[in-house]
Amino acid sequence: MSEQQPDAFDEIVDAQTDRDPDLAVIEAGSRTLRTQAGVPQSDAVPARPADPEVDKALREVETDLATRWGETKLEPSVSRITALMDVLGEPQRAYPSIHITGTNGKTSTARMIEALLGAFELRTGRYTSPHVQSITERISLDGAPIEAERFVETYNDIKPYVEMVDASQEFRLSFFEVLTGMAYAAFADAPVDAAVVEVGMGGSWDATNVIDATVAVVTPIDLDHTDRLGSTPAEIAAEKAGIIKEGATVILAQQPVDAAQVMLKKAVEVDATVAREGMEFGVVSREVAVGGQLLTLRGLGGEYDQIFLPLYGAHQAHNAAVALAAVEAFFGVGAEQARVLDVDTIRKAFASVASPGRLEVVRRSPTVVLDAAHNPAGARASADGITESFGFSRLIGVVGTSADKDVRGLLEAFEPIFAEVVVTQNSTPRAMDADELAALAVEVFGDERVVVEPRLDDALEAAITLAEEESEFAGAGVLVTGSVITVGEARLLLGRG
């Protein structure tokens, strides 16, 4: 800290004489740390292009991509994406990469890694999925979604090669495979110093797995996509372990024992180095702070204290520890050298992080929070985070899920914190029918606590009305959850698009 910063800290503490002293110190810490932060990551959810011609061109690309297999239809193979990389000149080999798999926390962890690398003045490319509102969110350069014009140009540049591969393969390239090709091409064209790449699903046969990442990150593994990846954490881990390459460093978040065993066995087979959360790195301490939390993290090279993270929930603190270890490994800290990275740079990076749709506050009076939890593990983390960080006297849930998820498990995770739940559905074909969802919700919550509003706009209005209806519940709030798509559509309806 500079000489002025402790004084500012003391002034804020002294001004909080009417508050609990410990809370005053926590608030002061978060406020002074925020003054040290760099420019926050952009809202990261761009609106439609203002230029009608650009908007038209983007819609044409979106229409073209929509004719391809969607992300839920898979033919487990990397043959098509390998063929595309070949005709494009292997753009994915033009830069080092950090590859991220796991069940929950991948996108938030990717955003943190991106912010850390950017703070050390590296040009970054980030590829994540799915998007919250705009398809352009999936490909980011230097911490911001790719411009719509550049997205269209990239698509048009690789389109002839995509068609060439289509003609030579049994199946056309899928929606996700084309986007992956676009991302790798855009990163090479930029050019970036490092790419942060999130798998779409699994690992071994995921389209992203044509990179040879020097760092492989595995966020917590739980049951999801069991029809495609396996019915136990160990079976799912076996698929996800496919991103671990020879000689890489593996950053392993806390895992179920059987999943960890699979990962460690794969690491031994390919002579990879493993750093485990709770052993080689982890969260030393955390305190709830205004607008987020204050952390002390133990990295591969040492401790980093007074880190303000403007995200809610213990799960985000663990994501931060994983992200920090990944960046240390990328810079060779731990295996090659024992040192800490510049702590002020680390603080500045974490304080700038944004993760739209992850316990994101989008409205006040009443407070409306969005969270993209879509499986039981994610729902439990969300429920814990909102209980810890928000003092709601009464919480109304708005839930719209995909039909292919463990919906009962998700509802059961939220049951203890929802006074009432408004069930709805988003606009996609994958959405569970509102009446079908309501039948499940009644079994979990009871008939008296369930409201059915098939239209999402009506569901939001109903939930906000319930939150406002009695003065004794002035501290009521609304949590919109169940699907990234539901959250994205709610974000638009609430004026954040």
Side-chain angles (χ1 to χ4, degrees):
M1 290 187 180
S2 68
E3 292 182 1
Q4 289 76 28
Q5 284 161 342
D7 294 335
F9 182 89
D10 292 339
E11 287 173 13
I12 295 170
V13 174
D14 291 342
Q16 303 291 322
T17 53
D18 60 337
R19 301 194 56 200
D20 179 284
D22 291 336
L23 291 177
V25 170
I26 291 170
E27 177 163 332
S30 63
R31 286 166 63 186
T32 52
L33 283 169
R34 271 180 286 191
T35 66
Q36 302 171 52
V39 178
Q41 286 186 337
S42 65
D43 185 52
V45 184
R48 296 297 310 185
D51 185 327
E53 289 302 312
V54 175
D55 188 52
K56 179 183 176 185
L58 180 59
R59 289 186 188 279
E60 288 173 354
V61 172
E62 291 169 328
T63 300
D64 274 2
L65 288 169
T67 66
R68 296 180 175 275
W69 276 0
E71 289 170 284
T72 59
K73 185 172 183 180
L74 304 167
E75 193 275 318
S77 166
V78 292
S79 61
R80 293 175 302 280
I81 189 69
T82 299
L84 180 60
M85 292 297 99
D86 183 52
V87 296
L88 288 176
E90 304 287 349
Q92 82 281 16
R93 306 202 188 285
Y95 37 80
S97 301
I98 297 176
H99 206 178
I100 307 170
T101 190
T103 301
N104 291 307
K106 296 188 295 295
T107 297
S108 292
T109 303
R111 289 184 177 281
M112 293 179 197
I113 292 171
E114 173 188 50
L116 288 163
L117 294 175
F120 285 99
E121 300 185 350
L122 295 185
R123 290 209 71 191
T124 57
R126 173 174 52 80
Y127 181 52
T128 52
S129 61
H131 56 274
V132 178
Q133 285 172 209
S134 171
I135 195 171
T136 60
E137 297 164 37
R138 294 176 178 238
I139 304 172
S140 287
L141 294 171
D142 293 322
I146 191 171
E147 294 289 336
E149 296 96 326
R150 193 164 188 173
F151 185 91
V152 172
E153 288 170 4
T154 302
Y155 177 76
N156 288 333
D157 284 346
I158 76 164
K159 186 177 180 181
Y161 302 96
V162 168
E163 292 172 345
M164 189 185 309
V165 173
D166 284 343
S168 67
Q169 298 287 320
E170 182 181 1
F171 303 106
R172 295 171 72 215
L173 286 154
S174 69
F175 169 88
F176 186 74
E177 287 168 336
V178 174
L179 277 173
T180 302
M182 289 174 61
Y184 290 160
F187 297 163
D189 186 59
V192 302
D193 298 314
V196 184
V197 178
E198 173 190 333
V199 303
M201 188 186 298
S204 295
W205 44 256
D206 188 74
T208 62
N209 202 30
V210 288
I211 54 174
D212 289 318
T214 55
V215 179
V217 175
V218 187
T219 67
I221 291 173
D222 212 295
L223 300 182
D224 199 9
H225 302 296
T226 53
D227 56 329
R228 299 180 180 90
L229 302 180
S231 58
T232 67
E235 289 176 355
I236 293 171
E239 174 56 38
K240 294 181 183 292
I243 74 163
I244 301 173
K245 304 297 169 59
E246 185 174 353
T249 299
V250 184
I251 305 300
L252 199 60
Q254 290 180 342
Q255 305 289 348
V257 173
D258 55 348
Q261 289 173 338
V262 170
M263 290 290 172
L264 292 170
K265 181 182 178 184
K266 176 60 184 284
V268 169
E269 289 172 358
V270 298
D271 196 26
T273 302
V274 179
R276 300 155 294 175
E277 184 181 6
M279 300 290 284
E280 286 77 27
F281 70 93
V283 178
V284 175
S285 66
R286 55 183 294 271
E287 299 272 5
V288 176
V290 176
Q293 51 194 309
L294 283 175
L295 309 176
T296 297
L297 301 177
R298 186 176 79 253
L300 303 179
E303 281 197 5
Y304 302 78
D305 64 358
Q306 291 292 293
I307 292 173
F308 174 67
L309 180 68
L311 302 175
Y312 301 104
H315 60 296
Q316 295 290 17
H318 290 286
N319 290 340
V322 169
L324 175 59
V327 171
E328 286 183 308
F330 184 82
F331 286 130
V333 173
E336 298 174 19
Q337 47 192 308
R339 66 180 178 89
V340 293
L341 299 176
D342 181 72
V343 68
D344 287 332
T345 304
I346 297 295
R347 289 173 181 151
K348 181 177 179 180
F350 275 121
S352 75
V353 171
S355 195
R358 277 75 182 178
L359 288 180
E360 177 190 18
V361 177
V362 292
R363 173 184 162 151
R364 301 285 186 182
S365 300
T367 298
V368 178
V369 182
L370 306 180
D371 192 81
H374 56 273
N375 56 45
R380 289 191 293 270
S382 175
D384 288 346
I386 207 161
T387 299
E388 175 187 75
S389 302
F390 298 86
F392 294 130
S393 56
R394 183 167 178 249
L395 183 62
I396 311 299
V398 176
V399 178
T401 68
S402 295
D404 59 348
K405 298 294 182 180
D406 180 1
V407 177
R408 179 184 291 277
L410 180 138
L411 292 172
E412 289 173 345
F414 282 122
E415 189 277 331
I417 69 166
F418 287 164
E420 295 178 75
V421 61
V422 182
V423 298
T424 188
Q425 64 191 75
N426 58 54
S427 64
T428 66
R430 290 179 61 199
M432 176 173 276
D433 177 78
D435 289 332
E436 186 181 347
L437 178 55
L440 276 175
V442 167
E443 292 178 14
V444 174
F445 289 85
D447 187 61
E448 296 293 316
R449 295 165 64 193
V450 178
V451 177
V452 186
E453 291 288 356
R455 286 173 52 107
L456 182 56
D457 54 350
D458 293 337
L460 292 170
E461 185 177 346
I464 289 168
T465 300
L466 285 168
E468 291 175 331
E469 75 182 4
E470 295 181 47
S471 58
E472 66 178 294
F473 293 125
V478 174
L479 175 64
V480 184
T481 190
S483 162
V484 176
I485 298 161
T486 300
V487 162
E489 292 181 355
R491 213 171 182 279
L492 276 172
L493 288 167
L494 292 165
R496 293 300 295 266

